[in-house]
Structure formats: structure tokens, C-alpha cells
Amino acid sequence: VKLTTEQQKQIEKLEQQILSKRKEVIEKYVQYGVLTKEQGTHITKRMDEHYNHLKNNGFVPLLKKPQHHRP
């Protein structure tokens, strides 16, 4: 599946908003002492990597093929 440029722009805008809000939540966890500053930094770094991966793939998530369980 390939998205049009307009579709990619719309998804990018939404993904940026989601990323920003998720980072706000992580910052609050750090502020409240639930996470250390290092943990918060690590998590937000991984979030940025995930966003960049999505962007590089045209905002089409890579869906894993279903795994068949053998009896």
C-alpha cells in the first residue's frame, strides 16, 4: 500500500500531534518521579526513532504477517 502525498501529509500531522502528547506524558512521569530522567530520555529517543521510521516508509506501518502456531 502506498499513500498519496496528501494522505502522507495528513498522517504526518496526526503522528506529530500524537508524538508531542506522548512526550508530554513521559515528561510528567519524569516530573512525578515515576521515571528517571534517563528513562524518560531513552523512551522519547525510541519514540523519535519510531516516528522517523514511519516517515521513511511513507507513514505506512509495517504490519507483521500473522504467525501460525504449531500444535
Side-chain angles (χ1 to χ4, degrees):
V1 176
K2 185 171 170 84
L3 300 175
T4 66
T5 302
E6 183 58 36
Q7 290 171 330
Q8 287 180 20
K9 287 179 183 178
Q10 290 176 10
I11 296 293
E12 181 175 18
K13 182 179 178 183
L14 291 171
E15 287 289 352
Q16 287 174 344
Q17 291 171 352
I18 292 167
L19 180 62
S20 176
K21 287 296 181 186
R22 286 183 175 163
K23 284 182 176 183
E24 284 182 41
V25 171
I26 297 303
E27 288 172 16
K28 287 295 181 185
Y29 280 137
V30 171
Q31 181 182 348
Y32 299 155
V34 175
L35 298 172
T36 66
K37 184 173 173 78
E38 293 77 20
Q39 289 171 319
T41 300
H42 176 74
I43 292 169
T44 55
K45 179 182 173 191
R46 295 283 300 172
M47 292 163 72
D48 286 335
E49 289 171 359
H50 177 73
Y51 173 81
N52 288 328
H53 182 74
L54 277 176
K55 187 173 183 175
N56 291 336
N57 287 300
F59 291 100
V60 176
L62 299 176
L63 302 174
K64 293 183 179 181
K65 293 180 183 178
Q67 296 181 0
H68 300 283
H69 297 285
R70 294 184 178 168

